[in-house]
Amino acid sequence: MELITILIAIFSLFVIIGIGFAARRYGILNGDRVHLISHVLVNVALPAITISSMQVPATAKTMGIVDSMLLVAGGYYLAAFLISILICHFLPSTPAEKGVFQFMLVFPNTMFMGIPVASAVLCPGSLFYVILFNLPFNFLVFTMGVWLLARGRPGKLDPKVLLSPGLVASFIGLALFLAGYMLPAPVDTGLELIGSATTPLAMLVVGALLATLPVARLAGDWRVYLVTAFRLVIIPVIAFLVLSPFITDRLVLGVAVLLIAMPVAANSVLLSEEYKVDSTLASQGVFLSTLLCLATIPILEYFLF
């Protein structure tokens, strides 16, 4: 039953990608409309879901779990960033491509795919752990992630690009969590509704961008395959081998490794489109890694858990 749930969650994303692909091919979505959707997602929907996902009661128990998950997540992002520097040093690419490849290596799809997959593989109670693991993601994707992508653009990097609505939302969400303040139900529900549009619209954008490529280039070249292998298999296995001797809580370990094994974050496409770097390359990474995780996630689940 778990495998069926995982496959349904992943295949549903491909349905939306297919709709976006068809919409671009038939002229419903042109380049300007795709960029407008990406702009709304980056500046409205992503900040909304960032704040909403941090609306978790701060109790003594949750604060104890917070320390463990934040330590694990912080250690992962530091290690993944160093690994991405090493790999991209030897990977032939332009400065813009290098930033996209590094983003793909560092940032897994921990939110949009992490929540349904963790609930299926582990248990519904793992949702809180998933949200905690996403706290550093919310900060780093709008700082380090934006920096990785935007530095590949011609000209000097404008520091203003780092002060994005997503980063501001991350600070607001964390402040509300630490203060133990829960937003009024209508406000929280409104943010959640806006944020819920992120995944389907992001997949529409991926499909629309892929529609501009010849069929033979949909999955990218050998570099995309190499980065995908690190994203889906090599980095998660390294994480398991490093973390398992030190983490006694199997749920913490399971959530961390499972989220690290997620495919490339859809944010890579949205932010690449927003900052006008290689969004096609990012779309290839999201498409290929999401397709191959149909095999890698069940295999990792069987051998690691």
Side-chain angles (χ1 to χ4, degrees):
M1 186 62 181
E2 292 177 352
L3 178 59
I4 294 176
T5 305
I6 294 170
L7 295 178
I8 290 174
I10 297 172
F11 272 119
S12 65
L13 298 181
F14 280 102
V15 170
I16 304 173
I17 289 174
I19 293 172
F21 187 95
R24 182 64 178 266
R25 283 290 174 91
Y26 287 98
I28 298 173
L29 287 177
N30 58 25
D32 291 337
R33 288 169 182 168
V34 170
H35 182 72
L36 178 60
I37 293 173
S38 298
H39 187 70
V40 172
L41 283 170
V42 170
N43 294 287
V44 179
L46 282 176
I49 199 173
T50 297
I51 295 174
S52 177
S53 68
M54 295 187 189
Q55 285 289 286
V56 180
T59 65
K61 181 181 179 180
T62 58
M63 292 306 294
I65 300 172
V66 167
D67 293 338
S68 299
M69 289 304 296
L70 289 184
L71 181 62
V72 171
Y76 157 72
Y77 282 111
L78 175 60
F81 177 66
L82 296 176
I83 290 173
S84 74
I85 293 175
L86 179 63
I87 294 172
C88 290
H89 177 73
F90 298 100
L91 201 65
S93 55
T94 65
E97 290 176 332
K98 183 171 293 187
V100 175
F101 281 133
Q102 283 193 264
F103 192 106
M104 290 164 58
L105 286 163
V106 174
F107 294 102
N109 198 345
T110 55
M111 178 65 77
F112 310 133
M113 283 192 63
I115 289 176
V117 172
S119 297
V121 174
L122 300 170
C123 65
S126 62
L127 175 59
F128 178 60
Y129 293 75
V130 175
I131 291 172
L132 291 178
F133 195 90
N134 272 287
L135 288 178
F137 178 95
N138 293 331
F139 284 101
L140 293 174
V141 77
F142 291 113
T143 51
M144 180 172 69
V146 169
W147 174 74
L148 287 172
L149 295 173
R151 66 178 179 154
R153 298 189 305 180
K156 292 185 64 177
L157 174 63
D158 185 354
K160 292 180 181 178
V161 303
L162 299 178
L163 189 61
S164 63
L167 181 61
V168 173
S170 297
F171 280 114
I172 293 173
L174 183 60
L176 293 174
F177 171 76
L178 294 176
Y181 179 78
M182 304 300 292
L183 292 170
V187 176
D188 186 39
T189 301
L191 292 174
E192 189 175 347
L193 286 172
I194 295 173
S196 65
T198 304
T199 300
L201 289 179
M203 293 301 104
L204 281 177
V205 170
V206 170
L209 292 172
L210 289 173
T212 63
L213 298 175
V215 175
R217 289 188 57 205
L218 288 180
D221 55 30
W222 66 271
R223 300 172 302 167
V224 179
Y225 281 88
L226 177 64
V227 170
T228 297
F230 271 90
R231 167 76 271 129
L232 296 180
V233 179
I234 299 174
I235 293 178
V237 170
I238 292 173
F240 178 80
L241 295 175
V242 171
L243 294 174
S244 55
F246 302 101
I247 299 179
T248 56
D249 188 327
R250 301 303 293 181
L251 188 55
V252 171
L253 177 64
V255 168
V257 175
L258 191 64
L259 293 181
I260 291 169
M262 289 294 107
V264 174
N267 306 56
S268 62
V269 178
L270 305 179
L271 293 173
S272 295
E273 183 73 11
E274 176 71 11
Y275 295 107
K276 295 181 173 57
V277 291
D278 201 335
S279 56
T280 299
L281 179 62
S283 296
Q284 291 172 331
V286 171
F287 174 77
L288 182 63
S289 61
T290 304
L291 177 64
L292 294 181
C293 80
L294 285 166
T296 58
I297 291 176
I299 291 172
L300 285 172
E301 177 203 359
Y302 178 79
F303 284 105
L304 301 184
F305 307 114

